[in-house]
């Protein structure tokens, strides 16, 4: 009894025709080597997944004797291949279709001789990959050798692929063709025929031979050599301050920062209202710092109009009439006092006009001061004034 492997695998081309085409311009398209390695990884996983299975038929003893054990059988190969690619993975299915015979030959004939499927399939047969530590079309050794390319301190260009030029791209702290030398700011903490390790210098050193600020060969910018050690320069102590008049200087290792003064300050030496050189108008020194002056609580009244309320604000104050009061140039007038004007017109107006005109004048006076904008004229010193008739006729109340 021969397993129907060919019939099952023969459906693959038809399935591929039914798959949707790959999206145009797909980003990060895998290289041939990456595609091959991915297929091998899935094949190896398939072997793991089927490791504990058998034929599952009714006469296992006969099957093992006649067709060999399941471990090396074509049925197991078929199960591995059937689960190798997702139906939507076009590139995996395409590669599987093209390379099915190679995988079958390795499984049935070459697996014992070449146990590493990746090396046999991707490197030696398809020639799309190289072994680790080699690169390019001919799989040449990377700089520093294939065992420890770039001294273990960098990446070999094209490592493991048929691409690149084998040159070293060094990790941070290393330089040189083999990444065996230390960059400025690093010192060699270990170096022998096979290994090289570089360690960062103290932050004060541009070059160094050891880890402390006394091992510097040259000081970094912002540090200066004092007593055989690189010491931080306090830029804030310079004769000419590096910051503007509205800022204070804050020293940090190797540099400085300029911070804004508190809003209550005119110039400052540090953070907060306690470090002001002078206080802005509306603020005064109180308990060692600039504090808001409450103008409304001073002995000299800030708001001078009659009945006016004073409200303190940061650095200033506002004067406001109480709710319901009429605002005039000299006072906040309560409603009751405005009514008294009408009742006292006969004594406040000239003797020649104590009737309707007087009442009209008083009404006009009140509403003009309230902002209605009635145009008026009168006699100097009079409390009740006679309005211009043309501007008030429509607004005159009934007498």
């Amino acid at each position: 009894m021969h397993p129907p492997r060919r019939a099952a695998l023969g459906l693959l081309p038809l399935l591929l025709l039914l798959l949707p085409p790959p999206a145009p311009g797909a980003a990060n398209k895998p290289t041939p080597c990456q595609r091959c390695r991915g297929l091998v990884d899935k094949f190896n996983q398939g072997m793991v997944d089927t490791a504990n299975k058998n034929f599952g038929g009714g006469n296992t003893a006969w099957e093992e004797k006649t067709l060999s054990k399941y471990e090396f059988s074509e049925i197991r190969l078929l199960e591995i291949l059937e689960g190798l690619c997702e139906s939507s993975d076009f590139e995996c299915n395409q590669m599987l279709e093209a390379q099915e015979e190679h995988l079958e030959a390795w499984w049935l004939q070459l697996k014992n001789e070449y146990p590493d499927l990746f090396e046999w399939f991707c490197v030696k047969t398809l020639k799309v990959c190289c072994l680790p530590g080699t690169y390019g079309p001919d799989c040449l050794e990377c700089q520093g050798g294939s065992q420890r390319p770039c001294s273990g301190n960098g990446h070999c260009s094209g490592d493991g692929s048929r691409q690149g030029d084998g040159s070293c791209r060094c990790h941070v702290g290393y330089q040189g063709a083999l990444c065996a030398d230390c960059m400025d700011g690093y010192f060699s903490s270990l170096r022998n025929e096979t290994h090289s390790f570089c360690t960062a210098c103290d932050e004060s050193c541009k070059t160094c031979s050891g880890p402390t600020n006394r091992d510097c060969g040259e000081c970094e910018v912002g540090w200066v050599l004092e007593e055989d050690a690189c010491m931080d320069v306090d830029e804030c102590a310079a004769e000419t301050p590096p910051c503007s008049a509205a800022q204070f200087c804050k020293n940090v290792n190797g540099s400085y920062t300029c911070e804004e003064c508190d809003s209550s300050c005119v110039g400052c030496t540090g953070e907060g209202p306690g470090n002001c050189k002078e206080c802005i108008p509306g603020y005064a020194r109180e308990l060692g710092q600039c504090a808001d002056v409450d103008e409304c609580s001073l002995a000299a009244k800030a708001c001078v109009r009659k009945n006016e309320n004073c409200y303190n604000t940061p650095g200033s104050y506002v004067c406001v009439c109480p709710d319901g009061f009429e605002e005039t140039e000299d006072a906040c007038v309560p409603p009751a006092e405005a009514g008294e004007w009408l009742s006292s017109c006969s004594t406040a107006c000239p003797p020649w006009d104590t009737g309707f005109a007087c009442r009209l004048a008083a009404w006009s006076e009140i509403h003009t001061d309230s902002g209605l904008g009635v145009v008026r004229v009168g006699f100097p010193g009079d409390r009740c004034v006679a309005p211009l008739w043309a501007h008030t006729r429509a607004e005159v109340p009934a007498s």
Side-chain angles (χ1 to χ4, degrees):
M1 176 173 128
H2 196 280
R5 180 180 58 80
R6 290 292 180 186
L9 293 180
L11 294 176
L12 188 57
L14 178 59
L15 291 174
L16 291 174
L17 292 175
L18 298 176
L19 293 175
N28 300 323
K29 185 176 181 179
T31 64
C33 180
Q34 290 171 331
R35 291 175 58 192
C36 189
R37 182 181 289 277
L39 192 68
V40 168
D41 289 343
K42 292 177 181 178
F43 194 100
N44 289 333
Q45 184 60 49
M47 287 196 293
V48 172
D49 295 339
T50 59
N52 297 321
K53 293 184 179 181
N54 55 37
F55 288 108
N59 192 340
T60 303
W62 178 86
E63 291 170 340
E64 290 182 353
K65 180 180 179 181
T66 306
L67 302 176
S68 80
K69 292 184 179 181
Y70 172 82
E71 181 182 358
F72 307 104
S73 68
E74 292 186 53
I75 287 182
R76 185 184 180 193
L77 172 63
L78 177 61
E79 290 183 5
I80 294 172
L81 295 178
E82 285 180 339
L84 207 59
C85 301
E86 297 289 339
S87 61
S88 59
D89 192 340
F90 176 81
E91 291 188 345
C92 179
N93 282 288
Q94 185 183 49
M95 189 172 190
L96 176 58
E97 180 187 12
Q99 306 303 332
E100 176 193 340
E101 292 185 0
H102 281 125
L103 293 173
E104 179 184 349
W106 177 81
W107 178 265
L108 297 176
Q109 303 170 17
L110 304 171
K111 186 166 57 171
N112 292 333
E113 184 178 356
Y114 301 101
D116 188 337
L117 177 59
F118 170 77
E119 181 178 354
W120 178 85
F121 184 56
C122 299
V123 178
K124 295 184 176 180
T125 303
L126 300 187
K127 297 183 178 180
V128 292
C129 297
C130 291
L131 290 175
T134 62
Y135 73 95
D138 300 319
C139 292
L140 302 177
E141 284 193 344
C142 291
Q143 295 290 326
S146 60
Q147 296 302 311
R148 295 189 75 250
C150 306
S151 306
N153 302 322
H155 175 73
C156 168
S157 174
D159 191 351
S161 74
R162 298 278 170 160
Q163 302 173 343
D165 60 7
S167 61
C168 291
R169 298 173 185 173
C170 301
H171 300 324
V172 175
Y174 297 88
Q175 63 182 358
L178 300 180
C179 300
D181 302 322
C182 299
M183 297 175 58
D184 284 352
Y186 293 80
F187 68 95
S188 179
S189 53
L190 172 65
R191 185 163 186 171
N192 55 34
E193 294 181 355
T194 57
H195 292 77
S196 175
F197 294 105
C198 297
T199 304
C201 299
D202 184 83
E203 62 177 341
S204 63
C205 304
K206 185 174 183 179
T207 60
C208 69
S209 57
T212 74
N213 66 337
R214 294 188 175 277
D215 298 314
C216 300
E218 182 180 355
C219 296
E220 266 288 4
V221 176
W223 277 267
V224 64
L225 187 64
E226 293 181 1
E227 298 180 358
D228 298 325
C230 287
M231 307 298 291
D232 175 52
V233 175
D234 186 359
E235 293 85 356
C236 299
E239 185 176 348
T240 302
C243 302
S244 72
Q247 299 174 319
F248 66 93
C249 182
K250 189 173 182 180
N251 188 59
V252 295
N253 283 342
S255 187
Y256 66 94
T257 60
C258 292
E259 309 287 343
E260 297 297 322
C261 293
D262 188 83
S263 59
S264 64
C265 299
V266 178
C268 65
T269 58
E271 184 178 4
N275 288 299
C276 298
K277 293 180 179 178
E278 297 180 20
C279 300
I280 63 173
Y283 285 77
R285 289 279 180 185
E286 183 178 325
L287 300 177
Q289 63 182 17
C290 288
D292 174 50
V293 175
D294 185 356
E295 292 85 355
C296 298
S297 65
L298 298 177
K301 292 184 64 175
C303 300
V304 297
R305 292 188 299 180
K306 182 180 178 182
N307 298 324
E308 192 170 34
N309 290 334
C310 180
Y311 296 98
N312 187 58
T313 62
S316 187
Y317 64 96
V318 292
C319 300
V320 181
C321 287
D323 289 343
F325 278 61
E326 299 288 349
E327 184 174 349
T328 69
E329 185 177 348
D330 300 322
C332 295
V333 181
E337 186 175 328
E340 291 175 1
W341 286 18
L342 292 175
S343 64
S344 61
C345 274
S346 59
T347 58
C349 293
W352 55 268
D353 192 3
T354 58
F356 170 76
C358 175
R359 291 196 299 276
L360 174 63
W363 176 86
S364 174
E365 174 80 11
I366 294 169
H367 285 75
T368 300
D369 288 337
S370 298
L372 296 179
V374 178
V375 179
R376 53 193 172 83
V377 295
F379 299 99
D382 287 343
R383 183 178 184 188
C384 295
V385 294
L388 289 178
W389 189 256
H391 291 273
T392 61
R393 178 183 294 273
E395 298 175 332
V396 173
S399 60

